[in-house]
Amino acid sequence: MVSKVEGNVLILEREFNAPRELVFQAFTQAEHLKQWWGPRGWSLPVCHVDFREGGVWHYCMKCEDKNQGDFYGMESWGKATYREIVVPEKIVYMDYFSDAEGNVAEDMPQTLVTLTFIETDNGTKVINRGEYATAEGLKQVMDMGMMQGITETWNRLVEHLESIQENN
C-alpha cells in the first residue's frame, strides 16, 4: 500500500488482484464487508448497507481477539452517508464515528472519502482519498492507529478476494 499525507488529506493506494466489478462489490455489499472490514481480530457483527446516493452504511466493529488486551470486547461504531456513486468506478461518502443508534460523534473527525477503482493489467487499483476538515483531525485519527488498522483491513480484503476467486 502506498500512502501519503498532503495537509488535511490522506491518500492510500493499493492494487488488488481481482476484477474491478468484484472489488467494487466488496466495498458495497454487506455480505462481502462482513468478511474483511476492520483490523485483524475484529468482526463486523452489525452491517447495514443502503447503497444508493443519500443512503447510509451503519456498522459496528467488535474486537474478538483476547490477545488484544484492553481492546478485547470493544465496539467501534461507524456511519457513512453516500454522496456519489458511479458503478464500478467511484464512491464518494462522508465517514463518521457514531454510536449504536447512528448518532454522529461530534467530537471526532469526519472524513470526506473518495474511493476510485481503476482497472489495471493485474486487477484493480483502489485509491482512497480521505479529506479531513483540518490537518489536526487527520493527525487525531493517525494517532489512534488508523494506518495499522487500514493496512490490516486491506490485507483481509486481499485474502477475501483470493478466497472468492478460488471458490469460483
Side-chain angles (χ1 to χ4, degrees), residues 104-125:
V104 171
E106 299 294 344
D107 59 334
M108 295 297 292
Q110 302 172 1
T111 318
L112 177 62
V113 176
T114 302
L115 287 171
T116 309
F117 301 82
I118 301 167
E119 284 185 272
T120 66
D121 292 341
N122 300 317
T124 307
K125 180 193 279 190

Side-chain angles (χ1 to χ4, degrees), residues 110-148:
Q110 302 172 1
T111 318
L112 177 62
V113 176
T114 302
L115 287 171
T116 309
F117 301 82
I118 301 167
E119 284 185 272
T120 66
D121 292 341
N122 300 317
T124 307
K125 180 193 279 190
V126 176
I127 301 171
N128 180 326
R129 183 183 189 279
E131 183 177 342
Y132 294 78
T134 63
E136 291 73 27
L138 173 54
K139 182 181 183 322
Q140 184 179 352
V141 296
M142 296 293 270
D143 290 348
M144 292 168 60
M146 200 231 337
M147 283 307 299
Q148 178 181 346

Side-chain angles (χ1 to χ4, degrees), residues 81-85 90-94 112-115:
T81 305
Y82 297 109
R83 291 192 168 179
E84 182 184 354
I85 296 169
K90 181 166 82 167
I91 307 167
V92 179
Y93 63 92
M94 280 302 295
L112 177 62
V113 176
T114 302
L115 287 171

